[in-house]
Amino acid sequence: MPAHYSLSETEEAVKRRLGDIAVRRDALAAVSNIYRAASAVRQHLENSALRPAGLTWSAFVVLWVVWIWEEIETRHAASEAGISKGTLTGIIKTLESRDLVERRQHPDDGRRALLRLTPEGLSLMERLFPAFNDEEAFVVEELKPEEALHLADTLRRIVTHLEEKGEERRGDLLGDEPVPPRRGGRRRTS
C-alpha cells in the first residue's frame, strides 16, 4: 500500500514547516530518505518474497542471522537482528513451532542458549533466499550496478561511523558513560 503522502509532498511540507529554522538540511534529507527507503523496502519484501513463506521481516532476519552464522547465541542473534532479547524470544517460539529453528543449552554455561536451523529451516532458507534476492534486485533496478554498489558503500560508511562513534556521542549528549559499541545488527552484504 503506498504512503498517504508522496515523497515530494512530504519534502514540500517539511520545507514549509522548517521555514527559516537553521538546520542541516542535507543531513535531514539523507536521514529522512534512509528511513523512508528502509520502510518502503521492508514493506515490499514482506509483502512479496516473505508472505508466501509466512514470515515477518523480523522472523526472516533472525533466520538469516542463524543461517549465516550456523550456530549463534541468542543474545548475539538478537543484537545482529537489531531486536530486543524479548522480541527474539517470541520469534524463536514461533520458528520452533514451525520446526525451522532449534534452541539448545550452551555447553559451557547453562544460562545461555544457542540457536541453529533445523533441516527444514535450512531447506527453507535455501529456497527462499533466491526469491528474496530477486526482490532485492527489483528494489534497485532503477540503479546501475555501480550505483547500487556505491549506495551500499555509502550506507556501510554510515553504519561503521555509528558503530565506532555512536555510543561515545550518545554518552556525551546524555552525560552517560560510553559503553563499547555493539556489533551492527542488520544483514550485511559486501
Side-chain angles (χ1 to χ4, degrees), residues 52-131:
L55 293 173
T56 63
W57 175 264
S58 296
F60 172 77
V61 173
V62 169
L63 285 172
W64 166 265
V65 166
V66 177
W67 187 42
I68 294 304
W69 292 107
E70 296 182 12
E71 185 169 68
I72 187 169
E73 278 189 49
T74 53
R75 63 188 171 131
H76 298 305
S79 177
E80 287 295 310
I83 58 178
S84 70
K85 289 185 266 182
T87 299
L88 178 68
T89 298
I91 291 169
I92 292 303
K93 285 180 180 179
T94 300
L95 295 175
E96 283 179 318
S97 74
R98 292 183 58 189
D99 198 30
L100 299 173
V101 170
E102 59 187 17
R103 179 179 10 193
R104 70 178 184 89
Q105 197 172 43
H106 192 286
D108 299 329
D109 184 345
R111 296 170 295 173
R112 299 185 327 214
L114 297 169
L115 299 174
R116 182 175 205 84
L117 293 185
T118 63
E120 292 80 6
L122 184 59
S123 176
L124 172 66
M125 287 303 288
E126 288 170 352
R127 287 188 325 271
L128 177 60
F129 191 71

Side-chain angles (χ1 to χ4, degrees), residues 3 9 11 26 37 48 72 76 78 92 97 121 123 144 147 149 178 184:
E9 291 170 325
E11 288 170 341
D26 60 325
S48 59
I72 187 169
H76 298 305
I92 292 303
S97 74
S123 176
K144 295 175 184 161
E147 290 175 315
L149 291 172

Side-chain angles (χ1 to χ4, degrees), residues 134-152:
D134 284 346
E135 292 310 307
E136 289 177 315
F138 170 78
V139 165
V140 297
E141 76 179 13
E142 291 295 314
L143 304 178
K144 295 175 184 161
E146 60 272 12
E147 290 175 315
L149 291 172
H150 179 72
L151 174 62

